[in-house]
Amino acid sequence: MVEEQMEEASTAAAAATPFQLQFDKPIPFQIKMAEWNPEKDLLAMVADDSKVLLHRFNWQRLWTISPGKHITSICWSPDGKIIALGTEDGLVLLHDVENGKMLRTIKSHDVAIVCLNWAEDDPLSRPDKDEFVSYEDRTTRFFPPAPVMPRIGGLSSGDTGLADENEEAIPEFCSASCQRFNILCSGGKDGCVCFSIFGIFPVGKININKIPISVESSGKRNYQLQDASISKVSLSRNLQKLVLLCYGKLVDTDSLSHNYETAALHCLYLDTSIFFNRKNELHQVSQQASSIQDLVEVVRASISLISKQWSNAMNLFREKFSALPNLIAAHGAESSSEDEFLSLLFGTRTSPALHQFLASSLGEAGLKRIAKAVDSAGREIRGVVSEHLQPAVEIISFRLAELRGLARWRSRFQIIGLDEKLIDGVTESIGMLVVQVERFSRVAATVLYLFQNFFTWVLKCVKILLNEPIDQVPAANSELVVIFLKFLLDKDPIKQLLEADERIDYDMDTARHVEQLVVFGGFTDTHFLERSLVKQFNELEDSLKEAFLMPFTTISSQIHCQGLLPLYPVTSADTLSSTCTLTSISFYKDEDSQPEESSYNLTGYVCFKIPDGSLNKRNCIGVIKDSGNCYTTLSMASLSGFLLHIPDEYVCVDLSLYKDNQIVLLLSEWSPSDSPGRSWMVMLQTQSFSFTPLSRTSPSNIYSLQKLAALDLQLDTDYGKVRSIPHTVSTPLAVSASRGVACVFSSRRHALVYILDEDEDEDEDEVSDME
């Protein structure tokens, strides 16, 4: 009888306001996450084996990638050009939508990243009274395009943090990211939330287990969460408020008698107005800083490639020349390799050991092989220095000078942690690195010239020893050969500059010149020439970390808790898993705001399913609305909500907030395991329900939702759209507000895409025949 009534109701509702079925396609995999692109008709999905798939609206597959890690969360960049993936080991992977290639790997957390949210600055939220002239990046005026990553065979992308297989990834990514100010929020299983501007420049981190929480009804008492785990985060479009859902225990830090040992789902409201109030300053600093970080990776990769190329050439050189000392010892001589070559140079004679080495062990072919390897390494090194290393350090120097100028505008930039003294120190470090690169270039050129002359002389010696009398050993530039033997066989100048712990010697005249330059140039470091190139680069990195840590720490300290709303207690350990939590958070412009207003408040909505038995409720959906502004402590007067009771014959599979204050519910019919079930998709207007103000709570009764009466969901009414689906469905429900579509996955591994916004007179399904 009940089934007949439900079927009649569904038929009437679907005939009145149907959703158009766009297509029904089989899929050979189980989907655990799915997100629509905010700008394009693209759907990104994560399969149960953590493969990531990208499909067009017509279900044409664009690409499939296997990140090699367990994917725990997914989101799109606001412009739809980048996919962010959170992993179980705390990494954020950024992939290019065009081809799926990885743009960057960022270590944001130490535990699994369970949720991601990428919010972009809304132009309508900019107040006219604080209109600030947009910062112009002047680097392109004085420099050619920034160098790309050199190709490094044998290094994985994780060694540098960037993708080495796509050398165009960095400049494209940076130019795309800097178009409009945006922030990527990531929530970890340990209760930490990280904020990154453009998704790449870390600008803040909070731990909800450590921030003080004020509950309005508790007076002056301070609360904290314990053992909290993030479930979902959402940053408002005006960047002023972060709403997050988390599991944890609420503890009264002033009185242990008021502790609540039962874990619960809490809705936490955080004041992030620092992002709104200082977005111009943050945009300028992060734009420069993110570009500097990209170029630092170019420098790192360049040094790695130079070191690898030179090491390979020198390994071959030493491998071939290592036979000479053994031959000297075998002939009973006590001379060294250097002595033998000097005797050949000045005495026009060869010992039996040297003769055997040059004529037999080394030979003309072996010598040519070494010369070719060294020459190839030299060309590679010169190319990397001129095309990658030197341009990168010069542009870094210019960008740091720009940051130095911003740091001196203390009234605007000191409040976000841009410290003038620290930036001065970084500027000096990059200046020293510029000198080190120039020195390395000169040393490398000298060493390669010595190698070339030495090999030319030895090759002539080998040819004469093989074909001519000994007394015709060719003459050579004795000074060059002596220098070569003294420095190359004893100390390798190039290797010294590429070692982190090497100390470089220089003469007293050079030291006096450096001291004079310090007086005229304002530098404080008079011993930088004692450091190697790699050590100077390491010092630059350390100073950069220290300088950029200041904005990170400063912004983190200005993110405060506005308030907390306990939603329901958790009685089952399984419910603590974020994958079992049906929640959705969204923000809509206040109904009272005028279209011409340049600054406005947003109403936050939180929709969630209450576990059966919790709050003595069964099969209930809760909806909370926060109509308060972003500048005051959360007030219970601004919170209101309602509960919606789903018919007992159905279970809510998934839910999502939709545009214009709407809610989309995915319901599935209870049925025996051996019989196919049916499902329903319901779209409701929140205005059709009466929001009840949430009453003030007390420590003895913190769950104010418990007092709300649940309204019964009637599928035969006309306050929303209802559509019957002839399959049992499963999570996830992917809804796109920008495109007005919803993707549903059935238990028989089919993907059904519905058009949610359509004309009322549409009364028949239209199934697409596009493959």
Side-chain angles (χ1 to χ4, degrees), residues 7 120 133 176 246 253 404 474 493 515 555 681 708 748 764:
E7 183 175 358
E120 185 175 64
V133 179
C246 60
T253 56
R404 190 182 187 188
E515 292 177 355
I555 297 300
M681 186 161 56
L708 296 180
R748 63 186 182 94
E764 294 184 359

Side-chain angles (χ1 to χ4, degrees), residues 191-249:
C192 290
V193 182
C194 296
F195 305 91
S196 300
I197 299 177
F198 308 142
I200 57 177
F201 179 64
V203 73
K205 182 176 182 179
I206 59 168
N207 187 340
I208 62 173
N209 291 290
K210 297 181 179 179
I211 60 175
I213 297 173
S214 172
V215 178
E216 180 188 4
S217 61
S218 303
K220 299 293 185 179
R221 293 190 178 277
N222 295 316
Y223 289 81
Q224 276 191 341
L225 288 170
Q226 282 187 354
D227 304 323
S229 174
I230 306 293
S231 173
K232 187 178 287 291
V233 295
S234 183
L235 184 62
S236 63
R237 287 174 294 166
N238 58 12
L239 310 179
Q240 299 186 69
K241 178 177 290 186
L242 179 77
V243 178
L244 62 85
L245 300 178
C246 60
Y247 291 102
K249 298 176 183 178

Side-chain angles (χ1 to χ4, degrees), residues 245-271:
L245 300 178
C246 60
Y247 291 102
K249 298 176 183 178
L250 189 62
V251 176
D252 187 345
T253 56
D254 295 329
S255 174
L256 296 178
S257 61
H258 290 87
N259 291 347
Y260 305 98
E261 296 299 332
T262 303
L265 179 69
H266 303 277
C267 184
L268 200 61
Y269 296 85
L270 300 178
D271 176 11

Side-chain angles (χ1 to χ4, degrees), residues 628-648:
N629 60 53
C630 302
Y631 298 101
T632 59
T633 302
L634 182 71
S635 170
M636 293 299 293
S638 68
L639 296 177
S640 59
F642 68 86
L643 300 181
L644 189 64
H645 178 258
I646 306 298
D648 292 337

Side-chain angles (χ1 to χ4, degrees), residues 5-18 680 715-718 720 722:
Q5 293 177 352
M6 296 287 289
E7 183 175 358
E8 292 175 359
S10 66
T11 302
T17 55
W680 302 68
L715 298 182
D716 57 349
T717 61
D718 58 357
V722 180

